[in-house]
Amino acid sequence: MNREPGWPCLRATDGGCVLDLSVQPNAKKTQTDGLHDGALRVRLAAPPVDGKANSQLLAWLATELRCPKRDLQLLRGEASRRKQVQLALPEQAVATWLDRVLCP
């Protein structure tokens, strides 16, 4: 399913794209949970202690998007539930992944 004009949580940048996230730590398992206020909601099975949730988020995204973890960078939200992640991936590749996980 291809959406026009695109996903509200995703925007292109020079050299990749930025993904807006709304993170809920301490979940039973790590998974997407739809959109929330213009951001992709992700439930994380990690506590928000000592950066564990941020580390798990980046590792999970790298696995989901089939890219090296070095292609992801947390831009904003180190101590917040609202986060922005810079992805060194084409916007279309991330949009295709969003289509797959949110519109089965």
Side-chain angles (χ1 to χ4, degrees):
M1 171 192 241
N2 201 354
R3 296 186 179 271
E4 290 298 331
W7 289 97
C9 58
L10 181 66
R11 66 187 172 286
T13 62
D14 291 338
C17 57
V18 172
L19 185 61
D20 293 325
L21 301 159
S22 176
V23 176
Q24 180 181 352
N26 288 325
K28 289 189 180 195
K29 75 182 215 181
T30 300
Q31 64 187 14
T32 58
D33 190 28
L35 294 175
H36 174 70
D37 196 23
L40 176 65
R41 174 166 287 182
V42 176
R43 297 184 188 274
L44 285 176
V49 178
D50 298 328
K52 289 180 184 178
N54 291 334
S55 293
Q56 183 180 9
L57 174 65
L58 294 177
W60 177 79
L61 276 172
T63 300
E64 284 286 307
L65 294 166
R66 296 180 177 98
C67 69
K69 200 171 164 185
R70 68 177 175 268
D71 287 351
L72 302 143
Q73 178 187 5
L74 185 63
L75 292 179
R76 283 196 185 130
E78 191 171 314
S80 170
R81 287 180 180 233
R82 290 295 293 228
K83 301 184 184 297
Q84 284 186 336
V85 176
Q86 173 75 45
L87 308 162
L89 299 169
E91 180 186 20
Q92 186 55 47
V94 180
T96 299
W97 171 74
L98 287 168
D99 285 340
R100 193 180 76 234
V101 298
L102 295 178
C103 304

